[in-house]
Amino acid sequence: MIHLHDINKTYFGAQPLHVLKGISLDIEEGEFVSIMGASGSGKSTLLNILGILDNYDSGEYVLDGTLIKDLSERRATEYRNHFIGFIFQSFNLIGFKTAVENVELPLFYQGVSRRKRHKMALEYLERLDLLPWADHYPNEMSGGQKQRVAIARALIANPKVILADEPTGALDSKTSVEVMALLKSLNEEEHKTIVVVTHESGVANETNKIIHIKDGRIGKIEENLDHHASPFGINGVMK
Amino acid sequence: MRLDIDTYREILDTLTRNKSRSFLTGFGVFWGVFMLVALIGGGDGLKDLLSKNFEGFATNSALVFAQPTTKPYDGFRKGRQWNMVYKDVDRLKAQVPELDVVTPMVARWGSVVVFGDKKSTASVKGVEPDYAQVEQPNLYYGRYINPMDMAQHRKVCVLGKKIYKTLFPGGGNPCGQLVRIDSLYYSVVGVDYSSGNMNINGSAEESVILPITLMQQTYNLGDQVDIISLTGRPGVVLSKLSSRIRGIIAHEHHVDPTDEKGITVFNTEVLFGMVDSLFKGVNYLVWLVGIGTLLAGAIGVSNIMMVTVRERTVEIGIRRAIGATPRMVLSQIITESIVLTIVAGMSGILFAVAILQLLEMGNTTDGIVQAHFQVSFWTAVGAMALLSVLGVLAGLAPAARAMSIKPVDAMRDE
Ligand SMILES: Nc1ncnc2c1ncn2[C@@H]1O[C@H](COP(=O)(O)OP(=O)(O)OP(=O)(O)O)[C@@H](O)[C@H]1O
Ligand SMILES: [Mg+2]
């Protein structure tokens, strides 16, 4: 599904910063993967490249058999719209839109009719137990609720891949557990390919594979099928 | 670019849910349009008010009147008093074919007009019927002096507006009533409502008009004439005839034909020329200031939208990240700008029209509009068209910046 070969990325700021130093990585369809690493190690940079939100300098990124390089804005937008769902640490909901309107937005850009997308958005909100909040604005909701709205928005276009950048970063441990459980069920029941960026080992422990990244290079890759072996216990996503 | 109802709803939502932002953005245009339309209307109204002063007065006209001579001539000392006579009218008619109307007037100040127990002072003017072509009456009741009045020496008069209002406070048609002017009774045949401030021998509102022959007899004036009014035929420049006219009259009365004071020939065209250029100046200024304000408004909109786009980096980044193409963002920002400009502009036009309507109502007397402040329908349409263009232009730069926002910007900007 995702194939990276020798990806390099340098930010040219005040002084050039070589952030990704030859990343090679394969993620198969239906995998539930986390990327872990210290702050500044390049996790977000990598995820933005995976989501075609940003471009890379050299190397090769193949997504579902298509080489993602120098895509036209239209193609890139199409991928972001249909193929990939994003979940951000800061939720990134639009403040002046209600929950249901935020969830509808990807379908608006697909040209789905008003009535149909409204119906679908309500369905997704219902699945996430958010129906009573449909007409609330983001600033009237808790962090966990906002993140679930963001997840509903990421899901509504029925993407194959879900990319989450520190989805629990702004949540308390109880809501973090809920959000991770939600992602897990999406992976198990709908076979979505999910990549979660985090620096919390408890969060990473919920995923099936943990990729460690250090100073822009891939460190060790752990298979993590036995979540119970976690030192944090069964329900413990520790902060 | 999909421009369906859905897209418009999206834009309306964005605008109405960010009210203060939209309001601030639109206010510049609102004010610009308001100023432009109000200035155009105000300028027109002012012009009307100014024109009122000259209303009903023939533009291509001249007045001839006698003053004490300033030069000795033909054995006479300077400073001699003299008068024009009725025959001068015939002489001018015969010898200057370029003239259209040549008509004499005698006048008297401080006469008393009485009806019942009401009383008013007035200036009395004796004229011929064709004087109406020099100072056009605005007859509210009845008619003007006519040739039959002259021929039959009828004792008739036309009352000015103020005199009529004083003598007949209850209103109604006074024609046929007898009023006393000084010692004689005259039958009222008309009421003249003209109120221009360009008058000969006293304001028309406070005058009573009599047939000239009757007046000459009544007041023992012989065939004396105070003023001869002239109008030129179309295309004739009266100022070029001045010295010829002066010469003809001078010859008969032993006055130096170069005595410009003794025989005064006053050309109204000089006055009208001045007023005309004044109007042109006012017009020019109105458009300059109006367009300037409007442009400033549009630049203001562009500026605020620029700031707004910056502020909306995250929102636009999110939209891009979940499926908006740069073109969609572009069209959204431009459409927002157009909608804002048009709504704000329309309110500006409506507000200006309302104010102008009030002004116009304030300038209406006796149901007659004195000055037209209101702008025409086409002026409003023109303003609208101008607005739409400005809206697009104002949205261009902000839209270009919005388009350059990359989806990563949504994540980075916190
Ligand atoms: N647009 C940018 N321009 C210049 N430097 C950048 C830019 N974005 C990120 N960086 C730098 O690149 C490095 C990696 O950033 P990145 O956001 O990928 O780290 P991260 O692993 O996600 O960290 P965190 O866990 O704190 O989110 C950091 O040192 C950061 O300062
Ligand atoms: Mg990060």
Side-chain angles (χ1 to χ4, degrees):
Chain A
M1 174 65 56
I2 292 172
H3 168 76
L4 296 178
H5 178 71
D6 196 23
I7 294 286
N8 282 280
K9 169 86 181 172
T10 304
Y11 284 120
F12 295 95
Q15 60 208 102
L17 189 65
H18 197 180
V19 179
L20 298 183
K21 303 165 182 163
I23 298 271
S24 297
L25 185 63
D26 278 285
I27 297 171
E28 301 306 323
E29 185 163 2
E31 274 199 291
F32 186 20
V33 179
S34 60
I35 299 177
M36 263 196 88
S39 187
S41 54
K43 307 183 295 290
S44 297
T45 306
L46 178 59
L47 199 75
N48 289 343
I49 289 171
L50 291 182
I52 328 179
L53 298 177
D54 209 348
N55 38 26
Y56 52 96
D57 300 332
S58 66
E60 204 178 66
Y61 169 26
V62 178
L63 175 63
D64 197 31
T66 315
L67 176 65
I68 305 295
K69 182 138 213 179
D70 302 328
L71 286 190
S72 70
E73 272 301 340
R74 245 197 63 218
R75 288 286 304 285
T77 304
E78 225 170 88
Y79 269 105
R80 290 197 287 262
N81 195 199
H82 290 269
F83 204 83
I84 302 166
F86 289 100
I87 301 167
F88 308 99
Q89 172 177 1
S90 48
F91 322 128
N92 279 343
L93 299 176
I94 293 178
F96 59 85
K97 286 180 175 291
T98 61
V100 68
E101 286 168 339
N102 265 289
V103 176
E104 278 179 35
L105 210 52
L107 296 184
F108 166 75
Y109 286 119
Q110 282 181 14
V112 175
S113 81
R114 188 175 185 79
R115 182 170 310 182
K116 190 171 169 208
R117 63 173 198 255
H118 191 73
K119 197 168 143 268
M120 281 180 71
L122 288 178
E123 275 169 28
Y124 273 87
L125 285 176
E126 186 169 17
R127 267 180 60 185
L128 298 177
D129 289 328
L130 281 168
L131 210 47
W133 299 94
D135 292 321
H136 285 246
Y137 290 93
N139 61 6
E140 301 163 350
M141 286 185 272
S142 73
Q145 287 162 342
K146 278 192 259 196
Q147 196 57 299
R148 278 183 290 156
V149 173
I151 293 174
R153 183 178 67 186
L155 291 178
I156 196 160
N158 197 22
K160 285 211 167 109
V161 178
I162 290 177
L163 303 176
D165 193 352
E166 311 216 21
T168 63
L171 305 177
D172 63 27
S173 57
K174 185 168 165 286
T175 15
S176 297
V177 173
E178 285 169 17
V179 165
M180 289 314 291
L182 191 60
L183 291 180
K184 193 168 177 171
S185 73
L186 283 172
N187 170 252
E188 281 168 5
E189 285 155 29
E190 302 187 25
H191 307 289
K192 306 248 183 242
T193 310
I194 300 179
V195 181
V196 179
V197 159
T198 184
H199 56 248
E200 299 163 33
S201 52
V203 169
N205 192 38
E206 295 294 309
T207 63
N208 299 336
K209 191 191 223 175
I210 304 172
I211 299 167
H212 292 272
I213 181 167
K214 198 178 174 196
D215 282 337
R217 290 197 180 82
I218 300 281
K220 68 176 183 263
I221 298 179
E222 295 176 71
E223 290 293 328
N224 184 43
L225 291 169
D226 184 13
H227 307 299
H228 300 276
S230 154
F232 301 102
I234 297 171
N235 292 320
V237 179
M238 285 294 153
K239 289 259 150 184
Chain B
M1 206 177 339
R2 294 168 305 128
L3 283 180
D4 45 28
I5 292 171
D6 230 29
T7 316
Y8 279 113
R9 282 199 66 139
E10 175 68 24
I11 282 154
L12 282 186
D13 272 1
T14 306
L15 289 178
T16 51
R17 291 186 191 177
N18 296 284
K19 284 198 185 63
S20 60
R21 189 171 82 196
S22 304
F23 175 79
L24 281 176
T25 315
F27 190 76
V29 164
F30 166 82
W31 190 245
V33 170
F34 172 73
M35 285 297 276
L36 177 65
V37 175
L39 276 174
I40 291 174
D44 281 354
L46 201 67
K47 218 150 79 178
D48 261 20
L49 280 181
L50 276 175
S51 315
K52 273 283 163 224
N53 291 329
F54 306 97
E55 194 180 63
F57 207 94
T59 42
N60 192 19
S61 61
L63 310 174
V64 185
F65 48 95
Q67 302 210 65
T69 55
T70 58
K71 290 176 183 174
Y73 187 70
D74 214 4
F76 291 102
R77 282 180 298 115
K78 71 173 192 176
R80 176 175 65 102
Q81 292 276 1
W82 66 282
N83 283 311
M84 292 190 294
V85 295
Y86 206 92
K87 283 204 86 164
D88 290 326
V89 174
D90 298 329
R91 285 186 195 112
L92 287 176
K93 274 184 185 163
Q95 296 179 36
V96 191
E98 291 95 329
L99 296 178
D100 187 11
V101 178
V102 182
T103 185
M105 175 195 274
V106 287
R108 235 187 89 99
W109 275 279
S111 291
V112 181
V113 188
V114 181
F115 177 75
D117 57 349
K118 301 280 188 300
K119 195 168 152 175
S120 172
T121 51
S123 58
V124 179
K125 297 177 186 174
V127 300
E128 287 189 347
D130 56 4
Y131 182 70
Q133 291 173 53
V134 178
E135 193 179 342
Q136 195 188 15
N138 177 13
L139 289 164
Y140 200 71
Y141 289 116
R143 61 172 177 82
Y144 204 62
I145 307 290
N146 68 20
M148 294 295 278
D149 298 331
M150 306 282 296
Q152 300 180 6
H153 298 283
R154 291 176 183 162
K155 291 200 175 60
V156 293
C157 67
V158 175
L159 302 180
K161 179 175 163 186
K162 274 198 184 143
I163 307 224
Y164 162 70
K165 293 229 155 156
T166 316
L167 297 187
F168 300 90
N173 189 345
C175 293
Q177 303 282 7
L178 289 181
V179 297
R180 183 161 64 82
I181 302 170
D182 295 331
S183 54
L184 281 179
Y185 281 92
Y186 299 80
S187 168
V188 177
V189 292
V191 175
D192 177 10
Y193 256 41
S194 69
S195 55
N197 287 332
M198 173 101 176
N199 305 104
I200 300 169
N201 283 335
S203 125
E205 292 188 329
E206 292 171 85
S207 303
V208 177
I209 309 261
L210 305 178
I212 186 167
T213 44
L214 181 66
M215 178 146 175
Q216 282 167 334
Q217 277 173 21
T218 313
Y219 293 92
N220 276 325
L221 300 171
D223 64 351
Q224 179 193 326
V225 166
D226 291 337
I227 289 178
I228 296 175
S229 309
L230 316 163
T231 68
R233 292 189 189 280
V236 171
V237 181
L238 281 178
S239 51
K240 289 190 181 150
L241 298 178
S242 297
S243 55
R244 243 170 86 200
I245 292 168
R246 191 175 288 113
I248 292 165
I249 294 177
H251 182 69
E252 298 298 326
H253 296 277
H254 308 285
V255 178
D256 190 331
T258 62
D259 188 350
E260 296 194 356
K261 185 97 197 295
I263 305 172
T264 307
V265 179
F266 179 77
N267 272 298
T268 54
E269 73 190 2
V270 182
L271 209 63
F272 284 106
M274 258 167 56
V275 172
D276 229 41
S277 46
L278 183 71
F279 286 167
K280 279 196 188 110
V282 167
N283 239 343
Y284 188 68
L285 207 71
V286 159
W287 281 97
L288 202 75
V289 172
I291 299 273
T293 321
L294 194 59
L295 270 182
I299 291 170
V301 169
S302 188
N303 238 320
I304 295 183
M305 288 205 69
M306 211 72 174
V307 174
T308 303
V309 162
R310 194 175 217 130
E311 221 178 79
R312 289 168 71 183
T313 304
V314 176
E315 179 205 325
I316 292 168
I318 295 169
R319 287 178 188 272
R320 295 275 284 109
I322 60 179
T325 61
R327 283 189 61 176
M328 288 169 179
V329 172
L330 179 86
S331 75
Q332 170 163 5
I333 300 289
I334 289 189
T335 319
E336 275 182 31
S337 147
I338 295 174
V339 169
L340 259 186
T341 314
I342 287 182
V343 169
M346 282 293 261
S347 333
I349 291 180
L350 284 182
F351 191 53
V353 163
I355 297 263
L356 291 174
Q357 194 62 41
L358 283 179
L359 272 179
E360 194 159 311
M361 268 150 59
N363 268 289
T364 304
T365 41
D366 304 307
I368 301 167
V369 179
Q370 297 293 310
H372 291 273
F373 282 93
Q374 200 53 274
V375 293
S376 74
F377 175 72
W378 289 110
T379 309
V381 169
M384 264 327 287
L386 196 64
L387 273 180
S388 320
V389 174
L390 280 179
V392 178
L393 292 181
L396 278 182
R401 168 176 280 188
M403 215 168 95
S404 71
I405 291 176
K406 287 199 268 321
V408 257
D409 296 330
M411 279 109 270
R412 197 174 298 145
D413 204 299
E414 221 66 277

